[in-house]
Amino acid sequence: MQKPIPQRGGISRRAVLAASLTTGAATALTATGAMNANAAVPLTGHHPLSGDWFAAPPRSVRPKFRWWWPDGLVDPVEIAREVDQIADAGFGGAEVSAVHHSLKDKSVLDTAHHGWGSAPWREGVEAALRQAARRGLTVDLTLGPSWPVAVPGVTPDDESAAQELAYGRVSVTGGTTYQGPVPEPVRVAADAVTRRTLLAVQAARVEPANATRKETGLDLASVQDVTATVEDGALSWTAPAGGDWVLISYWQRGTAQQPESGPHSAPAAYVVDHFSPTGTAAVTDFWDHSVLTGTMRRLLKAAGGAFFEDSIELETDSLVWTSALPEAFEKRWGRSLLPYLPALVLDKSNQVFAFEAQITRQIRHDFWETVSHLFNTHHVTALRDWAHSLGMELRAQPYGLQTDAIASAALLDIAEGESLGFKNLDDYRCLAGGRDMAGHTVLSCESGAYNGSAYSTTWDRFLRTMGGAYAAGVNQTVVHGFSYATAPGVSWPGFAAFSPYNGAPGYGESWGPRQPTWRHAADIAGYLGRVHQVLQAGTARADVAVFRQTGYTATGIGASWFTATGVPLGWTHQFLSGPLLDLPAARVSDGRLAPEGPAYKALFVEGDFFYGSTPILALADAQKLLSLARAGLPMVLLGAFDQALTPGVPGENETEQLRGVLASLLALPHVKAGTDKSAVGDALAALGIAPDARYAASSTLLNAHRVIGDTDLYYLCNGKHAETVKPPVAAIDHDVTLRRTRRGTAIPYLLNPWTGEATRIGRYTEDGDTITVRVTLEPGQATVIALVGPGLFGDRNGNRQHAVDSTADRVLFTDRGLVVRATSGGTYTTRLSHGRTVTTTLPAVPGPMTLDRWRLDVQDWRPGTEATETDIVRRSLTLDALLPWSQIPELADSTGIGRYRTTVSLPADWTSAHGAHLELGTVSDTFRVTVNGTRLAPADRLHPVIDLGGHLRPGTNVIEVEVATPLINRLRVSQPSVFGTATRQAYGLSGPVRLVPYAQAPVR
């Protein structure tokens, strides 16, 4: 879809529409101003970065919420209020999703009058869109209630409903005759299914040599079609003498799957066929004729973002199916599908029959490639084009089946992963490859869904989860989630989509004003928005493309050398599947693949992990690789590719043709091959290829690189490959060497995503096209380094000398120029970039002070008289030692907001040359710091150390720390039937809190 180009000083299309949908001139001007202020300026070489660009990211890049509604049982006034709550907290939008697993009695929703898609639901959506247009937010809409995609009016017997292929079997001894009914399916149909079609009946000889632990071995050459012998539901068939035989029947029927936690509508919604035009038409026709009123269409153009589809969780005990599969298979592969059906049928996700191992693998490959093609053609592409016709985009989680999710990501406007379902960072890198090769910008993530953690999730856990995902390509966060305020029969603090969940705390959180930490949510939104702003700017860069023969994701399967060894050394990689090599970006220039995009320096090919690391390649893909290599793209092949096989059933002489193409490929001088994965790094070095970010030794530092014109942006995070990695990540403190794009002078700036400050780095070294800086990060902590031209951020330090070495603790640029800083007085030596060495004398510095004695004022949140009401009990305590609330008898089950206040005396000779860091130690969950009445900028939640700078003065100083907690400790005692098994959590300011003074002086 062609996007409108924002104009400086002009009014965007959405702003004009937003203004036209509001009433009154003043309201129209407010809406227009809000939208114009939030319009994102495309960042190219002609649009330089600035401090404002980073400090105040527009709504378009800010995080969103998954907004859970109890179907249409919503009040438009409350809907508008919640839009305001999301906007006031600094977030950029919400996705309306009908999810109510917590409501056991679904009758209270009255689906006949308040179901998904009903008039009240539409009125709620219109209220959300109208208020979002006023506030400059966007609203996304799920394509159906809950998931998978389903719409009311589709019945299980309809052609447009989700289909399955069930099988039946009966054994026949050689030389005997079976006479009786066609074998019934081994799994009975769902109750709502009344129709079925017999697709075929086959006979096959049992071949024990082909059997596996779970699969009955069959002889492919013996398979024969006996469908013609069926008469009035019965057949008579004599097995050839010798051996045992099996008769297999194949029945096509509906699955009768409904969306999760239904019913959501009346009539009930059933999941549609995801592989046929009729299934997609059922979705679009329902929207076009039953949902999209003229008003809603206008509102979508003003505030609509994307239609959304959750992961493809098609549930069947049999094989997913669609009527067009046999025809599509034959058209794609030039052979009939039917003889291969025994190797395809499933029983509760388990394969049932197998031929010889290699041909079985090839058959299954060809089948799922066909399914993938149908899914991407008739579902993804068709829904995307329909969304574009409404001025919307399509965002989806394109995984859950054995389909090419990498190719799907290239088709989608916005591909999405999830922190709960993805096993590690390589799952995100699969989708990132599709996104970047197709020239899209956003890779979204359903973020922060933790099993059993409702009302106990901390933002620091959320940030640790997302830190590594951002390094792997994610640059949009859809927070899981924000629940509508109430529903019949719910308890304090209100309706929650997933709590209770089977009588226990559920998935994720219900963020919003019901949470004490919502008081500080704007700090989180600002941080995430700045990270998104950086990671959506310009173009993504990755060092290496990893070719994946099978484009699945959400599997946890990575790239052998790169995942285990390369990433800890700074290498970045993404995954490509065969269809991506047909995209316009798949060209080579100056040895780079997709030079205007990710600009991969090499292509890495290894055996297919999904098939025992077998070295396989499709002939067409091998030919594409040869073409790219001949155009100058370096390649490394790991495995015996001189003996490669085709992934699917080969045609006549196809294997020989494949090996001939690969022989030509392997003969090229810039193509390296081997079977030892430990030698991959040496092969890359021999090709003259190095990563853009390099570490001297193996590190837990992760990086993502973006380029805007001749400016480089590096996102750095001390993270881990997967949540389950042990031991935990430790703090890091080491040099990092970053390659720069700019040919002239390039200056490193530290971009603080918590405060929005862009500060020139004071100490670094240069060598050719690289800059080396020191990076110190706590576990999960992230930062951004920009390599830019002088003065690009508008500060006056752009052309000054920097330090390359110093005996001081730190060298940094401030408004006083280059300064050295240390926690003790004395004389320090600094070597400058132009070769001059200077000395700086710092005054005496008081020693560190531990702050033990505090006054604590607590707002203890408790259930009110209504589910959405909170009573606050105020408590005041004097603490001689800091402890978590759970260890303070008066606060053991308290949750809410605590304000800690202490005083500290500084000596009379404290001057502007002095400062101090406030180390908070352990603090949970969110916090803000005030010094002498001035509230400081948001501090890093994962590294709670605050530079008090010029806020301190001689004599008495007042320090206040405001801490907000989750609700779980109160819910344990107020709702023990649901939350009673939860462990009491250690919230509050636990410390130890230290004030660590320093002195600093300019370098002259």
Side-chain angles (χ1 to χ4, degrees):
M1 177 176 61
Q2 183 64 41
K3 289 286 190 182
I5 300 175
Q7 302 293 324
R8 288 189 180 273
I11 301 176
S12 70
R13 175 177 67 96
R14 288 184 183 270
V16 173
L17 290 165
S20 70
L21 290 163
T22 57
T23 57
T27 306
L29 287 171
T30 300
T32 300
M35 289 303 298
N36 189 46
N38 289 320
V41 176
L43 294 171
T44 67
H46 303 292
H47 294 273
L49 307 178
S50 68
D52 290 342
W53 165 82
F54 179 65
R59 293 278 190 189
S60 60
V61 302
R62 286 177 173 264
K64 305 172 183 287
F65 277 108
R66 184 147 294 170
W67 190 8
W68 294 305
W69 291 13
D71 294 327
L73 197 61
V74 294
D75 178 3
V77 175
E78 173 60 27
I79 289 296
R81 183 183 299 117
E82 293 181 10
V83 170
D84 284 339
Q85 292 166 353
I86 292 169
D88 291 344
F91 290 79
E95 167 209 310
V96 176
S97 182
V99 177
H100 42 67
H101 291 63
S102 60
L103 302 179
K104 286 187 176 181
D105 182 4
K106 306 298 181 183
S107 65
V108 301
L109 296 175
D110 186 16
T111 55
H113 299 96
H114 295 90
W116 182 89
S118 65
W121 180 86
R122 294 195 302 272
E123 291 167 4
V125 171
E126 289 177 2
L129 289 164
R130 188 174 288 110
Q131 192 65 10
R134 294 186 179 109
R135 298 301 306 271
L137 275 64
T138 55
V139 174
D140 295 353
L141 300 171
T142 59
L143 286 165
S146 199
W147 68 89
V149 176
V151 290
V154 173
T155 72
D157 292 331
D158 289 345
E159 181 185 4
S160 57
Q163 303 289 303
E164 65 184 7
L165 190 68
Y167 81 97
R169 65 184 294 179
V170 63
S171 297
V172 184
T173 302
T176 65
T177 299
Y178 172 82
Q179 192 162 3
V182 173
E184 285 291 313
V186 297
R187 300 292 169 188
V188 298
D191 291 341
V193 176
T194 63
R195 299 179 186 174
R196 64 181 185 178
T197 300
L198 180 64
L199 180 69
V201 182
Q202 293 174 335
R205 185 173 61 81
V206 175
E207 177 51 75
N210 294 336
T212 67
R213 186 170 61 88
K214 292 184 177 180
E215 300 164 313
T216 300
L218 300 178
D219 175 19
L220 175 60
S222 72
V223 175
Q224 52 184 281
D225 188 346
V226 297
T227 312
T229 67
V230 175
E231 187 172 341
D232 296 329
L235 65 86
S236 177
W237 180 77
T238 301
D244 294 324
W245 291 72
V246 62
L247 282 170
I248 310 170
S249 59
Y250 306 95
W251 302 89
Q252 180 179 340
R253 64 194 185 193
T255 66
Q257 184 181 357
Q258 295 188 41
E260 284 285 319
S261 192
H264 294 269
S265 60
Y270 285 92
V271 176
V272 301
D273 185 347
H274 282 51
F275 314 107
S276 73
T278 56
T280 298
V283 176
T284 58
D285 287 352
F286 181 82
W287 278 87
D288 288 338
H289 300 129
S290 301
V291 176
L292 294 174
T293 63
T295 299
M296 189 178 292
R297 289 174 185 268
R298 290 191 296 273
L299 286 166
L300 285 176
K301 291 183 183 297
F307 288 107
F308 173 68
E309 179 177 9
D310 215 315
S311 51
I312 320 160
E313 299 177 31
L314 299 182
E315 296 175 355
T316 169
D317 289 338
S318 303
L319 180 69
V320 294
W321 194 256
T322 187
S323 298
L325 253 172
E327 180 182 354
F329 185 95
E330 187 161 2
K331 181 178 180 180
R332 190 170 181 83
W333 305 110
R335 61 182 74 90
S336 174
L337 171 63
L338 296 184
Y340 303 130
L341 284 178
L344 300 171
V345 291
L346 297 173
D347 185 15
K348 289 191 172 182
S349 301
N350 294 313
Q351 304 289 162
V352 181
F353 303 105
F355 302 124
E356 183 272 328
Q358 180 174 311
I359 192 68
T360 299
R361 170 184 61 77
Q362 294 170 330
I363 291 167
R364 292 171 183 170
H365 168 274
D366 289 350
F367 173 80
W368 286 108
E369 278 286 295
T370 307
V371 172
S372 185
H373 170 73
L374 294 175
F375 173 72
N376 282 330
T377 301
H378 299 310
H379 191 76
V380 175
T381 302
L383 285 172
R384 182 202 64 194
D385 293 347
W386 170 78
H388 289 182
S389 73
L390 296 166
M392 299 279 283
E393 293 183 315
L394 181 63
R395 173 169 59 90
Q397 298 175 354
Y399 48 85
L401 292 177
Q402 293 170 256
T403 54
D404 189 346
I406 299 174
S408 300
L411 296 169
L412 290 163
D413 297 304
I414 303 172
E416 181 168 287
E418 57 180 293
S419 63
L420 177 68
F422 276 18
K423 298 176 177 60
N424 54 43
L425 300 185
D426 280 321
D427 286 342
Y428 296 109
R429 293 182 179 114
C430 289
L431 299 181
R435 174 199 64 184
D436 291 336
M437 282 295 289
H440 301 309
T441 299
V442 176
L443 173 58
S444 184
C445 181
E446 175 189 343
S447 308
Y450 305 107
N451 186 16
S453 295
Y455 295 113
S456 64
T457 301
T458 58
W459 279 110
D460 66 329
R461 181 180 186 185
F462 181 95
L463 294 169
R464 283 190 174 93
T465 297
M466 293 309 300
Y470 288 135
V474 169
N475 55 11
Q476 174 177 280
T477 305
V478 181
V479 182
H480 188 287
F482 188 109
S483 291
Y484 180 76
T486 191
V490 302
S491 302
W492 182 80
F495 166 69
F498 293 101
S499 282
Y501 189 75
N502 295 328
Y507 288 87
E509 272 303 344
S510 288
W511 300 109
R514 69 182 67 186
Q515 295 270 10
T517 56
W518 192 251
R519 181 179 180 87
H520 305 151
D523 299 349
I524 305 294
Y527 170 84
L528 296 174
R530 294 181 191 102
V531 170
H532 295 172
Q533 177 79 312
V534 167
L535 294 177
Q536 291 186 32
T539 305
R541 290 285 192 261
D543 295 319
V544 174
V546 176
F547 185 79
R548 172 148 283 178
Q549 297 92 334
T550 306
Y552 307 159
T553 193
T555 64
I557 294 178
S560 57
W561 183 85
F562 287 96
T563 297
T565 305
V567 168
L569 296 175
W571 288 92
T572 58
H573 64 279
Q574 295 179 342
F575 294 90
L576 311 183
S577 62
L580 270 60
L581 300 183
D582 293 322
L583 293 173
R587 67 179 190 86
V588 178
S589 178
D590 294 329
R592 299 291 188 98
L593 174 61
E596 285 83 27
Y600 306 113
K601 303 169 189 175
L603 185 69
F604 177 66
V605 186
E606 61 183 331
D608 191 341
F609 279 7
F610 296 97
Y611 293 103
S613 296
T614 305
I616 59 176
L617 270 177
L619 175 59
D621 289 340
Q623 291 168 335
K624 295 170 194 173
L625 297 186
L626 178 58
S627 177
L628 294 172
R630 284 174 171 167
L633 178 65
M635 293 186 188
V636 175
L637 278 69
L638 178 63
F641 278 92
D642 57 335
Q643 297 298 310
L645 300 169
T646 59
V649 179
E652 186 176 356
N653 298 323
E654 187 175 352
T655 302
E656 290 74 14
Q657 294 177 56
L658 170 66
R659 292 177 179 177
V661 170
L662 288 172
S664 299
L665 177 68
L666 295 169
L668 295 175
H670 51 279
V671 175
K672 303 295 182 181
T675 57
D676 181 3
K677 68 180 179 181
S678 66
V680 171
D682 293 336
L684 292 166
L687 292 169
I689 298 170
D692 285 345
R694 301 199 306 271
Y695 325 140
S698 183
S699 170
T700 52
L701 185 64
L702 304 166
N703 78 86
H705 183 195
R706 308 283 301 192
V707 174
I708 310 170
D710 61 358
T711 294
D712 296 277
L713 297 171
Y714 285 92
Y715 167 86
L716 305 174
C717 175
N718 181 17
K720 54 185 177 180
H721 183 54
E723 289 290 317
T724 56
V725 168
K726 296 186 186 313
V729 170
I732 60 171
D733 182 4
H734 61 71
D735 287 343
V736 176
T737 299
L738 306 174
R739 190 186 68 84
R740 59 183 174 88
T741 301
R742 184 176 175 83
R743 293 186 178 180
T745 301
I747 296 174
Y749 278 77
L750 188 69
L751 307 188
N752 185 330
W754 285 100
T755 65
E757 296 172 305
T759 307
R760 186 181 174 189
I761 294 175
R763 177 163 52 184
Y764 59 92
T765 59
E766 299 175 275
D767 183 11
D769 65 348
T770 65
I771 291 176
T772 299
V773 298
R774 193 77 176 178
V775 172
T776 303
L777 293 172
E778 293 297 312
Q781 190 185 5
T783 192
V784 177
I785 293 177
L787 308 182
V788 304
L792 190 58
F793 283 107
D795 73 308
R796 60 186 184 182
N797 291 317
N799 290 307
R800 296 183 175 180
Q801 293 186 63
H802 64 275
V804 297
D805 195 13
S806 180
T807 58
D809 297 342
R810 291 189 62 192
V811 184
L812 62 158
F813 280 104
T814 69
D815 56 2
R816 302 179 65 189
L818 189 68
V819 304
V820 294
R821 177 181 292 181
T823 56
S824 59
T827 300
Y828 297 91
T829 301
T830 302
R831 183 159 55 91
L832 299 177
S833 51
H834 289 181
R836 188 166 62 97
T837 299
V838 298
T839 59
T840 307
T841 300
L842 300 181
V845 181
M849 294 167 253
T850 300
L851 309 182
D852 290 325
R853 188 171 178 81
W854 297 79
R855 175 185 172 86
L856 171 59
D857 295 317
V858 173
Q859 296 178 8
D860 186 0
W861 289 29
R862 299 175 173 228
T865 55
E866 302 291 336
T868 57
E869 292 182 1
T870 297
D871 288 341
I872 294 178
V873 176
R874 300 182 184 276
R875 301 174 180 273
S876 294
L877 299 87
T878 298
L879 305 177
D880 293 322
L882 288 172
L883 294 170
W885 292 8
S886 57
Q887 296 180 28
I888 300 174
E890 300 93 327
L891 303 177
D893 294 314
S894 296
T895 59
I897 297 172
R899 292 182 178 89
Y900 295 78
R901 185 176 185 271
T902 193
T903 59
V904 59
S905 294
L906 296 175
D909 60 354
W910 187 272
T911 69
S912 60
H914 293 92
H917 288 106
L918 181 66
E919 300 175 352
L920 294 183
T922 301
V923 56
S924 183
D925 178 30
T926 58
F927 63 89
R928 283 177 175 169
V929 175
T930 299
V931 177
N932 294 327
T934 299
R935 197 179 89 187
L936 305 187
D940 193 329
R941 178 64 195 86
L942 299 181
H943 184 50
V945 176
I946 301 95
D947 187 352
L948 303 190
H951 297 286
L952 297 172
R953 61 199 178 199
T956 300
N957 293 265
V958 179
I959 297 175
E960 296 177 289
V961 182
E962 180 181 85
V963 180
T965 78
L967 290 174
I968 190 64
N969 286 352
R970 176 57 60 196
L971 286 166
R972 289 177 64 253
V973 294
S974 66
Q975 292 186 52
S977 62
V978 176
F979 299 97
T981 59
T983 303
R984 182 183 287 153
Q985 298 297 302
Y987 295 137
L989 179 60
S990 304
V993 177
R994 297 199 316 158
L995 189 71
V996 182
Y998 60 77
Q1000 66 183 31
V1003 175
R1004 302 297 186 188

